[in-house]
Amino acid sequence: FWTKNYGGDIMIQRLDEVMIYVYNHDKAITFWTKNLDFKVVEDTEELQMRVVKLAPYDDAQTAIVLQDKAKVDEMDMGVSTDTPSLIFATTQFDELFNRLKDSQVTVGDIMTLTMGRVFNFADEENNYFAVKEV
């Protein structure tokens, strides 16, 4: 999505990061790197919390950032730590579905919708995400 100001310049260029709040960073890292080939871009500490940035490839425009769910809830900053609804896109739809299934990842049935074929999968903390074929 892009937002233009009144002068015609683009104010927002892209969706930069998506926060996923987890209880166990190491399990989440293993899930995303092993099953979906994401890479750890950063592993730092902010406000006494571990923050891990993951991306599917080095110059990806959008990254997933793993935040400490328990600490964010404890800080009561008014931030929702619910899982965002993410839909990933792939040209290797069947291969990815089979890879996740073979790796014992919880996957839903393949469905055909108006957007095309889609399926859901869950991470180690039962956060569900979707994949669509492009």
Side-chain angles (χ1 to χ4, degrees):
F1 62 87
W2 295 269
T3 303
K4 293 188 179 193
N5 72 8
Y6 295 106
D9 294 328
I10 296 174
M11 298 288 292
I12 297 177
Q13 287 77 29
R14 68 176 185 271
L15 175 62
D16 192 52
E17 299 175 346
V18 175
M19 312 295 248
I20 298 178
Y21 298 91
V22 298
Y23 292 110
N24 187 317
H25 282 77
D26 292 325
K27 277 187 174 182
I29 292 167
T30 298
F31 177 84
W32 288 98
T33 58
K34 176 184 161 211
N35 296 304
L36 295 157
D37 295 331
F38 274 61
K39 298 176 181 185
V40 175
V41 177
E42 288 179 19
D43 191 341
T44 59
E45 187 171 307
E46 295 176 10
L47 301 173
Q48 300 176 338
M49 292 186 296
R50 186 176 181 191
V51 178
V52 178
K53 187 182 288 190
L54 303 166
Y57 50 92
D58 289 333
D59 59 349
Q61 290 194 4
T62 306
I64 289 175
V65 179
L66 305 175
Q67 295 275 2
D68 189 316
K69 186 172 187 163
K71 287 194 179 198
V72 170
D73 283 341
E74 179 182 300
M75 292 170 66
D76 194 24
M77 301 184 310
V79 174
S80 172
T81 56
D82 293 339
T83 305
S85 295
L86 302 179
I87 299 177
F88 296 96
T90 183
T91 57
Q92 299 176 336
F93 185 85
D94 294 306
E95 294 88 342
L96 180 57
F97 177 83
N98 290 326
R99 177 181 180 174
L100 293 173
K101 196 170 184 176
D102 291 346
S103 296
Q104 308 301 312
V105 172
T106 300
V107 294
D109 294 332
I110 294 174
M111 299 173 60
T112 302
L113 305 174
T114 54
M115 74 170 80
R117 294 191 313 154
V118 298
F119 71 87
N120 292 330
F121 68 91
D123 68 9
E124 299 287 331
E125 295 185 12
N126 288 318
N127 297 307
Y128 279 80
F129 307 97
V131 175
K132 73 177 183 177
E133 183 176 38
V134 293

